[in-house]
């Protein structure tokens, strides 16, 4: 009896264990990890698959800004985004939902782009725990019935509108639209779904499911999207007839989001197939002429005019336009640029040659050779005049390209080297020509160069959009409500420099390479009058020089490659001359031929130069120096008769003197200095006597015109290597100079009497600058790493201030009017400052700048001061100073 009882207990226990296990297994029933493919409507424009939601969440957790800005850029409903943040309110919900892959779909419902989320539970236990937790935390869940399928409406604390939740076989569907959830639940019941779609199945084999996100789009998504956005057809015609799905891998990078994938080109009926048919990708050059402020462009690489004809399915104006189309050198683009007033629109073509293209257009317009006359000229200065011609009044060109581009601007055109520019206004065409003359083009923009690093250097097609400018670029073609939404989000959209999509043909597929460049801390750039592109960064203080023909000012400046430039007052480079070395000191102008035409005199370490205004060397210049120069050339005209003398010190401790033709003067008898000379040699005159002052590292030599010592100082001082002698105004007839000693004190030198006076200062020589603020009053500016002081030589301080950033260049003094002096500095964060003589910063400063700068009038017609300074990325900036 006992044994029977034991056996019965064992059997009962075993049955109980089996039943419990079966019950538990039922509770733990595993769901298909990717069954959400069944619920995503086939009509969706596209969808995202997030393979590892927890990993993605952690990736973006350290940078919430990009998540918020991406949300605004993609027009994802903020209510949906709030669902991701539930975990901060309702602990544990996110952990359950993010254990398996999830999806986000996009679809037009009632003219609204709806976003829907799809989650898959790991098992039934997690599902029940989720809803149990949800009901505990959100007691006001309302059950609603749609088409016999369960739909839950929930309101989450802190959200402006409700969310709708649907659940079916372990799939949780979430949307701000009840219709979207209902449609997904209905789709789940349909046997024709994306899980068994052959195209999606094939794409899933090509994508990398280890990527953070996979993006699936219909290739005609622009067409689908614009139905709810646009009032009529937009420019994105290339994809309009394609209906294939595209699979892309999305990954977060340090400064954006990349996406790569392939598009099948086997369907020859589509426009995109025709565009890529049998034509491999090639290098592009056309972006070298896009304007600096380009905010949108589409560029096309085509292999021939026959290729264009094949794209032009309707053969519109095929024969009429043949003379022009035959002259296209493989590339053309539609470009929008954001100006100060509105958006400029251009059609740009790379051409085989200007003369043949010009003749072709004459024929096309029904004219004989030489009949076509300009309707206007672009004349940025007195020496440049570019003709502008009337284009196609009957819109023939626009119709021919209508398969790729809508509303082609073609009313006026002009040539720029190997390019043909079209625009609908003379004003906008002139702006494009001017940008190219200044080399102020998109390709010379540093941020654009960094952006291009994310793309291949070969392509068939490229589209670039600057998100912040979307409402202005597209305001003529998209609905007013969408424009307003874009404008409201402009501050967020501006956090992205650009969205770029590049297509390149590889066999029977188009390789898609896309990048969304996130630049939240970038600035729009300085508010300049013009910006002229040099080969590299400016390394010298720009020098104002006189154009002897017009008496207006021009600019001489040197870059880091030791190129010397002459630039006119419109910012156009008149010439560039590589001289191999850095210019030492200032550049002087002389009348070499005594004919009122001026030349430039300067030296480098190894040569002395005299160059005329056309950039040509004068006579036997440049002259090679026998010994390396240690200071800059000083030019003296003793008797104001244009018989110039050039003074320089050399490494062999000699001081050489040349006449203006470069001949060494034989009657110069100075035997040389004890140490090296670094400061320029100066000339003074008092009581009919000339004084030549040479300063080496330990003493001063006061000489006459022949190099004989005229004055012997009773005492001397070691002069700071970076501080020259400045004339000191005196009521007596004495010739006096002031400078700084090697210890940072102030030295006053009475040349005529040979006396030195030293006045203590608390400024240290290291990184110190000492210059006269007002020579008439003997007031001086002292500066060091981050301090400025204005005082006299007796240390009587007028004002002093500490700066937030370090000073990196020598202080400069500017005279705006009689007795009105300003102080200019450059700091270590590429800001330039201008201080009034009372220590206040001048209105409108600081400005962006990287070099010492010059202020003055470039033209007699200008009423505001011009400021010329080196800029970021190798530009030279012109500002107006009010």
């Amino acid at each position: 009896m006992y044994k029977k009882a034991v056996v019965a207990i064992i059997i009962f226990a075993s049955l109980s264990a089996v039943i419990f296990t079966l019950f538990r297994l039922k509770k733990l029933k595993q769901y298909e990890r990717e069954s959400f493919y069944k619920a995503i409507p086939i009509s969706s424009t596209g969808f995202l698959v997030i393979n590892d939601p927890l990993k993605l969440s952690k990736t973006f957790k350290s940078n919430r800004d990009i998540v918020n800005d991406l949300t605004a850029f993609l027009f994802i409903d903020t209510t949906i985004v709030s669902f991701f943040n539930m975990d901060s309110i309702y602990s544990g919900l996110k952990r359950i939902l993010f254990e398996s892959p999830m999806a986000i779909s996009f679809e037009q419902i009632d003219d609204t782009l709806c976003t829907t989320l799809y989650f898959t539970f790991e098992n039934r236990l997690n599902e029940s725990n989720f809803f149990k937790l949800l009901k505990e935390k959100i007691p006001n869940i309302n059950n609603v019935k749609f088409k016999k399928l369960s739909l839950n409406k929930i309101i989450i604390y802190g959200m402006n509108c409700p969310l709708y939740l649907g659940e079916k076989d372990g799939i949780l569907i979430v949307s701000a639209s009840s219709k979207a959830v209902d449609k997904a639940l209905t789709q789940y019941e349909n046997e024709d779904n994306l899980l068994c779609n052959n195209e999606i199945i094939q794409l899933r084999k090509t994508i990398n499911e280890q990527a953070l996100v996979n993006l699936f789009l219909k290739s005609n998504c622009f067409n689908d999207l614009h139905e709810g956005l646009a009032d009529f057809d937009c420019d994105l015609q290339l994809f309009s007839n394609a209906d294939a799905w595209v699979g892309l891998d999305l990954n977060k990078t340090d400064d954006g989001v990349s996406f790569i994938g392939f598009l099948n080109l086997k369907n020859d009926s589509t426009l995109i197939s025709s565009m890529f048919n049998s034509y491999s990708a090639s290098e592009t050059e056309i972006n070298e002429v896009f304007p600096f402020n380009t905010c949108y462009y589409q560029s096309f690489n085509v292999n021939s005019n026959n290729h264009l004809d094949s794209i032009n399915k309707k053969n519109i104006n095929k024969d009429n336009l043949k003379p022009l189309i035959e002259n296209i050198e493989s590339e053309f683009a539609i470009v929008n640029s954001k100006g100060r007033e509105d958006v400029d629109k251009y059609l740009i073509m790379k051409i085989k040659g200007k003369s043949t293209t010009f003749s072709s257009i004459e024929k096309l317009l029904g004219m004989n050779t030489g009949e076509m006359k300009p309707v206007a000229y672009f004349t940025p200065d007195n020496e440049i005049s570019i003709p502008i011609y009337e284009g196609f009044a009957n819109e023939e060109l626009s119709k021919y390209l209508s398969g790729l581009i809508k509303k082609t601007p073609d009313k006026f055109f002009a040539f720029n080297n190997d390019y043909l520019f079209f625009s609908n206004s003379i004003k906008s065409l002139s702006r494009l020509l001017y940008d190219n003359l200044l080399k102020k083009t998109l390709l010379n923009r540093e941020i654009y160069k960094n952006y291009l690093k994310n793309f291949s250097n070969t392509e068939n097609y490229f589209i670039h959009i600057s998100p912040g400018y979307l409402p202005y670029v597209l305001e003529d073609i998209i609905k007013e409500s969408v424009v307003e939404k874009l404008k409201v989000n402009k501050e967020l959209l501006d956090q992205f420099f650009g969205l770029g999509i590049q297509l390149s043909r590889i066999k029977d597929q188009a390789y898609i390479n896309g990048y969304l460049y996130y630049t939240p801390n970038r600035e729009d750039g300085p508010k300049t009058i013009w910006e002229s592109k040099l080969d590299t960064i400016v390394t010298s203080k720009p020098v104002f020089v006189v154009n002897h023909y017009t008496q207006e000012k021009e600019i001489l400046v040197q870059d880091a490659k030791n190129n010397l430039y002459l630039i006119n007052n419109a910012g156009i480079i008149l010439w560039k001359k590589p001289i191999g070395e850095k210019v030492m000191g200032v550049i002087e102008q002389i009348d070499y031929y005594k004919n009122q035409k001026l030349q430039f005199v300067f030296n480098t370490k190894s040569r002395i130069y005299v160059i005329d205004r056309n950039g040509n060397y004068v006579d036997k210049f440049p002259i090679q120096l026998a010994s390396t120069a240690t200071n800059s050339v000083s030019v003296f005209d003793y008797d104001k008769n244009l018989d110039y003398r050039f003074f320089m010190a050399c490494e062999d401790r000699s001081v050489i003197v040349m006449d203006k033709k470069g001949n060494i003067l034989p009657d110069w008898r100075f035997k040389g200095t004890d140490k090296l000379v670094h400061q320029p040699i100066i000339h003074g005159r008092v009581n009919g006597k000339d004084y030549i002052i040479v300063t080496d590292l330990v003493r001063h030599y006061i000489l006459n015109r022949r190099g004989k010592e005229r004055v012997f100082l009773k005492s001397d001082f070691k002069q700071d290597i970076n501080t020259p002698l400045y004339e000191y105004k005196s009521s007596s007839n004495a010739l006096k100079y002031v400078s700084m000693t090697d210890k940072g004190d102030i030295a006053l030198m009475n040349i005529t009497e040979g006396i030195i006076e030293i006045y203590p200062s608390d400024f240290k020589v290291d990184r110190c600058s000492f210059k006269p603020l007002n020579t008439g009053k003997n007031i001086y500016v002292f500066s060091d790493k981050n301090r400025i002081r204005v005082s006299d030589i007796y240390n009587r301080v007028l004002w002093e201030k500490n700066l937030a950033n370090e000073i990196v260049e020598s202080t400069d003094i500017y005279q705006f009017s009689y007795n009105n002096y300003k102080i200019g500095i450059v700091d270590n964060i590429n800001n330039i400052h201008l201080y009034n003589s009372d220590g206040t910063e001048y209105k409108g400063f600081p400005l962006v700048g990287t070099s010492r700068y010059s202020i003055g009038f470039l033209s007699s017609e200008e009423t505001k001061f011009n400021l010329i300074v080196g800029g970021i990325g190798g530009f030279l900036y012109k500002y107006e100073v009010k």
Side-chain angles (χ1 to χ4, degrees), residues 251-429:
N251 282 291
K252 170 75 174 65
T253 67
D254 290 339
D255 51 19
V257 178
S258 67
F259 45 99
I260 58 174
F262 290 91
L263 174 65
N264 196 323
L265 298 177
K266 290 183 179 180
N267 185 356
D268 292 332
S269 65
T270 63
L271 177 60
I272 192 169
S273 250
S274 299
M275 178 70 193
F276 289 76
N277 184 33
S278 302
Y279 181 40
S280 298
S282 60
E283 290 189 20
T284 184
E285 296 179 346
I286 199 167
N287 59 357
E288 69 183 1
V289 296
F290 293 170
F292 189 83
N293 289 325
T294 294
C295 50
Y296 163 80
Y297 71 83
Q298 289 187 78
S299 61
F300 303 85
N301 257 341
V302 292
N303 62 348
S304 68
N305 58 297
N306 292 329
H307 188 193
L308 264 180
D309 285 338
S310 69
I311 296 170
N312 180 9
K313 293 292 183 183
K314 297 179 182 178
N315 289 322
I316 300 172
N317 306 317
K318 176 180 177 181
D319 296 327
N320 292 349
L321 287 173
K322 189 174 181 180
L324 172 61
I325 301 304
E326 285 180 342
N327 280 282
I328 297 178
E329 184 71 44
S330 74
E331 294 184 72
F332 66 96
I334 188 77
V335 181
N336 288 2
S337 174
K338 182 67 175 69
R340 293 189 177 186
E341 300 171 2
D342 50 16
V343 174
D344 295 321
K345 299 183 179 181
Y346 306 104
L347 172 65
I348 299 175
M349 294 179 171
K350 194 171 192 298
I351 56 176
K352 296 177 181 178
K354 177 180 175 180
S355 59
T356 56
T357 305
F358 187 83
S359 299
S360 298
I361 296 176
E362 281 186 316
K363 292 177 183 177
L364 200 154
L365 295 176
M367 298 181 180
N368 295 319
T369 302
E371 286 187 357
M372 190 163 62
K373 303 298 182 184
V375 294
Y377 289 89
F378 170 58
T379 53
D381 66 7
N382 295 328
E383 299 179 20
I384 296 175
S385 183
I386 300 175
I388 296 174
Y389 301 91
E390 190 169 0
F392 303 93
N394 57 4
E395 298 185 343
E396 278 192 294
L397 183 58
S398 183
K399 292 174 184 176
Y400 180 84
L401 295 174
S402 62
L404 295 175
I405 303 166
K406 288 291 182 184
K407 289 191 167 295
T408 303
D410 58 0
K411 291 183 181 178
F412 301 95
F413 70 89
F415 291 93
N416 178 64
N417 298 322
D418 294 330
Y419 292 95
L420 180 59
F421 295 162
F422 287 94
S423 185
N424 280 340
S425 80
I426 294 172
K427 186 177 180 181
S428 63
L429 199 55

Side-chain angles (χ1 to χ4, degrees), residues 462-609:
F462 196 103
I463 179 171
H464 161 81
I465 300 170
S466 295
Y469 289 121
L470 279 171
Y472 307 100
V473 174
L474 304 177
E475 62 183 347
D476 292 336
I477 64 173
I478 58 179
K479 294 180 178 179
E480 187 176 345
S481 59
V482 182
V483 171
E484 290 307 312
K485 184 171 183 180
L486 286 166
K487 288 182 177 179
V488 167
N489 286 287
K490 187 177 187 306
E491 187 176 342
L492 293 173
L493 296 176
D494 278 336
Q495 305 306 305
F496 298 89
F497 169 76
L499 168 65
I501 302 174
Q502 182 185 59
L503 275 67
S504 307
R505 180 181 177 274
I506 301 177
K507 296 182 179 180
D508 292 327
Q509 290 183 313
Y511 175 69
I512 301 172
N513 183 14
Y515 199 77
L516 180 61
Y517 192 21
Y518 184 64
T519 53
N521 298 316
R522 84 176 192 277
E523 298 180 358
D524 287 336
K527 305 299 181 184
T528 58
I529 303 303
W530 52 249
E531 297 171 25
S532 185
K533 183 69 172 69
L534 311 184
D535 284 3
T536 183
I537 60 172
V538 171
T539 55
S540 69
K541 178 182 178 182
V543 179
F544 288 168
V545 294
V546 176
N547 178 332
H548 49 252
Y549 294 111
T550 64
Q551 298 306 305
E552 306 289 3
K553 297 292 177 60
E554 294 172 334
I555 304 152
L556 271 176
V557 70
Q558 190 175 26
D559 69 13
K561 290 184 177 178
N562 294 319
N563 295 310
L564 187 67
Y565 301 82
L566 181 65
I567 301 171
N568 68 12
N569 56 22
I572 298 167
I573 297 173
L574 301 178
W575 50 257
K576 177 184 77 172
K577 205 164 192 68
I579 58 174
E581 295 177 311
K582 185 176 175 61
V583 173
M584 301 180 72
V586 298
I587 297 175
E588 302 271 4
Q589 278 188 284
I590 63 171
D591 186 351
Y592 184 88
Y593 294 107
K594 298 185 179 182
N595 61 357
Q596 298 183 342
K597 293 183 179 180
L598 301 177
Q599 295 77 35
F600 311 118
V601 179
F602 61 90
N603 71 293
T604 63
K605 286 185 176 182
S606 60
R607 295 180 180 86
I608 181 170
Y609 293 81

